[in-house]
């Protein structure tokens, strides 16, 4: 009888063992692959910019040059266009980041550092405003303002989930009709398609925890420059230049305490001071900054939603609670209806809580504040009442 060759399962008695070996190898390979897929998913969740377009000075300058060319051609307008494209008093400094189409650049505006932001690189990337043919022929001059307000209010409703009275659209509305009225309308339409611009514009006179819009040119808008937080900083935020932070250990401890208090004030403000609660669904150090007086500012609110929009986002089909997680905003799955609940079950403060207890803030916090933050910052368990500030 011929012997089985090495590595083969020629004998009937060995087949079961070889089959088990084959299945074991297959399971090990599947587990190894799943581990890498999970690691990649976690990496993308923590650092979504790893697949983003490379941020370069050359491309940033080219983007702004194209913007100015369209301004000179009358395609777009803006109160910062003259400074950027003619006088040179708004000048590019460096590229901060590109992420999923979004462009964020640092510039100098008459000696003041500012940030230029846009959701898209090119003006043509935004959906154009559709006007009747006769209105377009006369430059839009005879198009009724009431109808324009309805169109803009509808876009704001889509962006924020809010029904706003016409009087509250002032920060978004062109000052007057001029010879570049079509350019004004096109510019306005590119800006109201950017949720962050709309939110900053509407909050600029209502909240010290949001940066005001300083001006715009086409689809790029400017906000104040503030150094963003980072998990690499000793206290989440760079304290250099902050008032009172450089007076040794005691000054720095007070600075950290003031920042923590400002975070609590921001959470309370977003929860209680508007007609609807404002939910922050992407809470990470890079999305916040501090002013020199330690006021915390939400500098990136692409993933911030008022309650009506939040409910609309959360209410979706599901097979388990994990299907109801929208970044940092969680809901629960009704397994009978296979539908996520429209109400968020965690709060802004509960997501921020680990920053205070685990990221080197806690040693400098007053004891009573530390206990408050830790208790409010714990994640809710099933059946718990969700705490709010």
């Amino acid at each position: 009888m011929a012997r089985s060759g090495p590595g083969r399962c020629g004998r009937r008695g060995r087949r079961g063992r070889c089959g088990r070996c084959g299945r074991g190898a297959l399971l090990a390979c599947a587990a190894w692959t799943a581990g890498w897929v999970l690691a990649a998913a976690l990496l993308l969740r923590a650092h979504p910019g790893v697949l983003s377009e490379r941020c370069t000075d050359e491309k940033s300058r080219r983007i702004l040059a194209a913007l100015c060319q369209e301004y000179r051609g009358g395609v777009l307008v803006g109160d910062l266009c003259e400074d950027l494209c003619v006088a040179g008093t708004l000048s590019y400094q460096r590229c901060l980041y590109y992420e999923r189409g979004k462009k964020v650049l640092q510039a100098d505006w008459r000696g003041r550092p500012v940030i230029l932001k846009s959701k898209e690189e090119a003006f043509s990337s935004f959906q154009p405003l559709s006007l009747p043919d006769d209105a377009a022929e006369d430059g839009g001059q005879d198009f009724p303002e009431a109808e324009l307000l309805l169109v803009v209010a509808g876009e704001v409703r889509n962006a924020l989930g809010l029904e706003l009275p016409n009087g509250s659209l002032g920060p978004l509305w062109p000052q007057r009709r001029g010879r570049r009225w079509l350019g004004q309308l096109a510019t306005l339409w590119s800006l109201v398609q950017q949720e962050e611009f709309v939110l900053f514009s509407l909050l600029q006179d209502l909240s010290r925890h949001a940066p005001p819009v300083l001006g715009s040119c086409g689809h790029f808008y400017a906000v104040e420059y503030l150094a963003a937080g980072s998990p690499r900083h000793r206290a989440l935020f760079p304290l250099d230049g902050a008032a009172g932070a450089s007076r040794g250990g005691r000054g720095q401890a007070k600075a950290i305490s003031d920042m923590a208090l400002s975070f609590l004030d921001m959470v309370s403000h977003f929860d209680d001071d508007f007609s609807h609660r404002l939910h922050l669904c992407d809470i990470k150090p890079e999305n916040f900054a501090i002013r020199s007086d330690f006021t915390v500012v939400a500098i990136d609110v692409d993933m911030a939603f008022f309650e009506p929009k939040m409910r609309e986002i959360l209410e979706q089909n599901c097979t388990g609670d994990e299907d109801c997680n929208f970044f940092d905003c969680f809901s629960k799955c009704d397994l009978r209806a296979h539908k996520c609940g429209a109400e968020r079950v965690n709060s802004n403060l509960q997501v921020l809580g680990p920053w205070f207890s685990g990221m080197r803030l806690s040693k400098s916090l007053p004891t009573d504040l530390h206990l408050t933050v830790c208790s409010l910052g714990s994640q809710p368990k099933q059946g718990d009442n969700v705490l709010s500030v």
Side-chain angles (χ1 to χ4, degrees):
M1 182 180 292
R3 293 183 180 178
S4 298
R8 294 177 60 190
C9 297
R11 293 182 181 175
R12 187 173 296 177
R14 298 166 104 184
R15 287 178 182 172
R17 186 175 64 180
C18 288
R20 287 194 297 273
C21 289
R23 287 194 295 273
L26 183 62
L27 288 173
C29 181
W32 180 85
T33 303
W36 276 107
V37 169
L38 177 60
L42 292 173
L43 176 64
L44 289 175
R45 173 67 181 88
H47 304 284
V50 294
L51 294 182
S52 297
E53 184 183 0
R54 186 165 172 248
C55 186
T56 67
D57 288 337
E58 179 184 2
K59 179 158 189 179
S60 299
R61 293 183 189 279
R62 193 162 64 243
I63 291 170
L64 294 181
L67 182 73
C68 287
Q69 184 176 0
E70 290 181 303
Y71 167 67
R72 287 188 284 268
V75 176
L76 54 84
V77 298
D79 51 0
L80 294 180
C81 288
E82 283 290 311
D83 285 5
L84 177 65
C85 305
V86 180
T89 49
L90 176 59
S91 58
Y92 170 81
Q93 296 295 305
R94 65 189 178 112
C95 178
L96 294 180
Y97 67 89
Y98 301 162
E99 186 175 316
R100 297 188 295 275
K102 186 175 183 178
K103 301 294 182 284
V104 181
L105 316 174
Q106 185 178 338
D108 181 273
W109 184 35
R110 301 179 183 179
R112 175 184 182 180
V114 297
I115 300 294
L116 295 175
K117 308 178 80 171
S118 175
K119 186 178 180 179
E120 301 287 350
E121 174 183 324
F123 189 70
S124 59
S125 297
F126 293 93
Q127 186 72 25
L129 175 63
S130 297
L131 291 176
D133 292 339
D134 54 346
E137 287 174 3
D138 68 359
Q141 294 290 344
D142 294 332
F143 194 68
E145 185 165 311
E147 292 188 34
L148 287 174
L149 280 167
L150 283 175
V151 172
V152 173
E155 188 66 20
V156 171
R157 181 175 61 249
N158 290 335
L160 302 184
L162 298 179
E163 295 280 355
L164 297 176
N166 290 346
S168 63
L169 297 175
L172 305 174
W173 198 246
Q175 296 299 314
R176 62 183 183 279
R177 298 190 183 210
R179 59 186 180 86
R180 289 190 168 189
W181 179 240
L182 274 183
Q184 283 181 279
L185 291 180
T187 299
L188 168 69
W189 199 239
S190 72
L191 290 171
V192 298
Q193 291 176 65
Q194 303 184 58
E195 295 86 348
E196 184 178 78
F197 169 81
V198 174
L199 191 56
F200 282 161
S201 297
L202 297 178
L203 291 182
Q204 62 184 14
D205 295 326
L206 302 174
S207 176
R208 65 193 188 110
H209 293 291
V213 175
L214 304 175
S216 63
C217 179
H219 55 302
F220 274 88
Y221 57 96
V223 295
E224 62 181 316
Y225 171 80
L226 294 168
S230 168
R232 295 186 296 272
H233 293 307
R234 179 182 176 276
L236 292 182
F237 298 98
L239 297 178
D240 299 338
S246 58
R247 297 194 300 269
R250 182 174 298 179
Q252 192 166 68
K254 185 179 185 305
I256 295 173
S257 177
D258 287 345
M259 281 191 295
L261 287 168
S262 187
F263 263 113
L264 293 178
D265 179 71
M266 179 189 70
V267 170
S268 176
H269 172 59
F270 287 167
D271 276 356
D272 300 328
D273 292 349
F274 307 123
S275 56
H276 298 284
R277 179 172 294 179
L278 181 61
H279 297 272
L280 304 176
C281 292
D282 189 14
I283 294 182
K284 57 186 179 183
E286 299 92 319
N287 289 347
F288 299 91
I290 58 164
R291 295 192 175 101
S292 59
D293 63 353
F294 306 115
T295 298
V296 173
V297 181
I299 59 174
D300 191 324
V301 293
D302 283 336
M303 301 292 287
F305 308 98
F306 284 106
E307 182 74 23
K309 188 73 173 181
M310 186 80 266
R311 296 177 71 87
E312 179 184 319
I313 291 170
L314 290 176
E315 203 168 24
Q316 56 187 313
N317 295 330
C318 62
T319 58
D321 287 346
E322 64 277 3
D323 296 331
C324 303
N325 296 346
F326 183 77
F327 292 85
D328 291 322
C329 293
F330 302 158
S331 177
K332 295 189 74 63
C333 182
D334 183 343
L335 294 176
R336 292 170 299 178
H338 295 288
K339 199 83 171 176
C340 296
E343 186 174 347
R344 183 183 177 188
V345 298
N346 65 339
S347 68
N348 293 331
L349 185 56
Q350 286 165 338
V351 182
L352 280 166
W355 288 15
F356 299 97
S357 59
M359 298 189 74
R360 297 180 298 280
L361 280 172
S362 59
K363 291 182 180 179
S364 300
L365 291 175
T367 302
D368 56 343
L369 177 60
H370 173 65
L371 291 174
T372 300
V373 171
C374 287
S375 63
L376 290 176
S378 58
Q379 294 295 328
K381 301 180 182 65
Q382 189 170 2
D384 285 351
N385 292 320
V386 178
L387 296 169
S388 60
V389 177

